[in-house]
Amino acid sequence: MLTCAAMLSAAFLLAAPAAKAASPATARTGIPASHTDGTAAPASTASVSALPGQTGQQLALHVVDGLNPARVTGSIAVAGQAVQGTIRVTAKGRTLLEAPAGANLILDAPVTAADLTDHELVLTLDYLPAVQNVCTAAQSAATLSKVTLATSGTEAAPATVAEFLAPSVPAVLIPVPANPPSDVSAAILSASAAMAHRYRDAALSLVPEPDAAARAAALPVGSRIITIAAATPEEQGAVSTTLTTQAGRPALALTGHGDDLRSAAQALANTKSALADSTTVTGMTSTVPAAAGPEQTLQNLGANTIKLAGYGTQETYLGVSQSQFGGPVSAVTLHLSGTHTAVPTGGQAALSVYWNDYLIGSHTLDGDSFDLTAAGCSGW
């Protein structure tokens, strides 16, 4: 049973000899509101960080159709030596928190639909030092994490396949029938890889079919269920992808045979599925993501090109699912190579790779290229 996913993180640290800290490109992470009627949801694992002098670091919380945001909470921790200055959190230009930089701060603020941008509550984190000094940039960082969003209302059921494949979902459940035929098994693995590729932050679970109803009842609002089954003898045409419900949750049922069924499951990762504007779609097909196997490129895993730039510490994350390798994984080896611009005279730069927050490799950057091989821990 494949139920876990790992997180690969690459961090790039560049300490300049003397210059003003540069603001990196905005980083956005989508996490959904996952509860109704104002009750508290489990804290999200998503986070966003800012170095002294960095502004506009963003964390986007998707709000499911039919729900209204009520209150957002979270914690801000300042690692290293706090720099004298101000921590500010805003949403659509409205200040939710502004306080002197300290070791620990609490975000607790009411929010409304007026704070949303395209069904998202976008939190912007600014770390504003009293004195700009790049020498302090790598010694301190403010991180907003453990974010929850209380909402009210009732989730609107998706009316089309495109609406089912929402921009962000908190969890995906795929029931696994007992002794499925080989084409159904292959399609289930492909659907798992496709949903892990599409929803990097979602909790992905494959469960025995008899347990699906109980597990579905406990899913947070906005979750999705994918069912895959062989077509009946009377349904020998193209694969059918039909919107339905299971245990009161939105579900998508794929029925078919052979490679067409697996290809339809792969198509769930394709953003062009947003064109599926009806409750039933036939003949969905796609060539991504790559077939499961013991060796995968970063491109196959969903990262076509990774680019990091700016002073201080810059990070990128890539979610990796066991299903993308075709089964349980006991050990991993990562080979990472690439190019970089020259490090300024007197400056230092290093590339570090983390697997589930454990450092598995680090490389000092000099010249104009790097080649790093690192072994990941057996835990997934």
Side-chain angles (χ1 to χ4, degrees):
M1 185 181 298
L2 311 179
T3 60
C4 300
M7 183 67 74
L8 175 67
S9 169
F12 175 80
L13 172 62
L14 173 61
K20 182 178 180 180
S23 296
T26 298
R28 298 175 63 85
T29 302
I31 60 176
S34 57
H35 52 294
T36 59
D37 302 326
T39 57
S44 168
T45 58
S47 64
V48 65
S49 299
L51 300 173
Q54 283 189 315
T55 59
Q57 308 304 297
Q58 294 184 327
L59 180 67
L61 286 72
H62 182 73
V63 179
V64 177
D65 286 345
L67 300 185
N68 294 307
R71 180 170 293 274
V72 63
T73 62
S75 63
I76 301 175
V78 178
Q81 182 178 355
V83 175
Q84 184 178 4
T86 301
I87 302 291
R88 179 189 299 149
V89 179
T90 59
K92 208 172 182 179
R94 186 171 72 87
T95 299
L96 304 180
L97 170 70
E98 184 167 336
N104 294 284
L105 298 172
I106 298 298
L107 170 66
D108 188 349
V111 288
T112 69
D115 298 311
L116 299 183
T117 303
D118 296 329
H119 296 286
E120 290 184 333
L121 179 68
V122 181
L123 302 178
T124 300
L125 176 65
D126 301 331
Y127 193 170
L128 308 171
V131 178
Q132 294 280 357
N133 184 352
V134 74
C135 295
T136 64
Q139 299 175 11
S140 178
T143 300
L144 171 62
S145 63
K146 300 178 181 177
V147 179
T148 64
L149 178 61
T151 60
S152 61
T154 302
E155 177 187 9
T160 67
V161 173
E163 290 180 6
F164 178 89
L165 298 170
S168 178
V169 302
V172 177
L173 186 147
I174 303 178
V176 180
N179 303 314
S182 59
D183 55 351
V184 172
S185 294
I188 288 174
L189 279 176
S190 294
S192 176
M195 298 306 276
H197 175 89
R198 188 180 189 108
Y199 301 116
R200 310 289 173 82
D201 298 316
L204 176 64
S205 301
L206 280 73
V207 302
E209 202 167 52
D211 300 335
R215 292 289 296 273
L219 291 175
V221 76
S223 298
R224 298 294 189 253
I225 299 174
I226 306 290
T227 64
I228 299 175
T232 64
E234 294 78 19
E235 301 172 330
Q236 293 298 321
V239 174
S240 173
T241 305
T242 304
L243 189 64
T244 181
T245 60
Q246 183 168 337
R249 301 292 186 183
L252 197 65
L254 277 67
T255 57
H257 289 287
D259 290 341
D260 289 344
L261 183 60
R262 179 175 177 273
S263 183
Q266 287 179 330
L268 297 175
N270 195 332
T271 55
K272 293 181 180 179
S273 57
L275 301 176
D277 57 354
S278 64
T279 57
T280 300
V281 178
T282 58
M284 283 182 67
T285 183
S286 178
T287 58
V288 295
E295 184 173 306
Q296 297 289 338
T297 66
L298 291 181
Q299 182 177 9
N300 290 344
L301 297 175
N304 292 330
T305 303
I306 295 177
K307 294 182 179 180
L308 297 172
Y311 295 117
T313 301
Q314 309 301 322
E315 297 179 336
T316 187
Y317 298 90
L318 174 63
V320 183
S321 170
Q322 291 186 80
S323 63
Q324 292 170 293
F325 295 90
V329 176
S330 60
V332 294
T333 300
L334 172 71
H335 178 221
L336 194 65
S337 61
T339 60
H340 61 88
T341 56
V343 179
T345 302
Q348 295 180 335
L351 173 71
S352 297
V353 179
Y354 296 82
W355 183 268
N356 281 340
D357 293 330
Y358 289 96
L359 178 66
I360 63 171
S362 188
H363 181 79
T364 300
L365 298 181
D366 52 20
D368 58 7
S369 64
F370 60 87
D371 193 293
L372 182 150
T373 299
C377 56
S378 58
W380 199 273

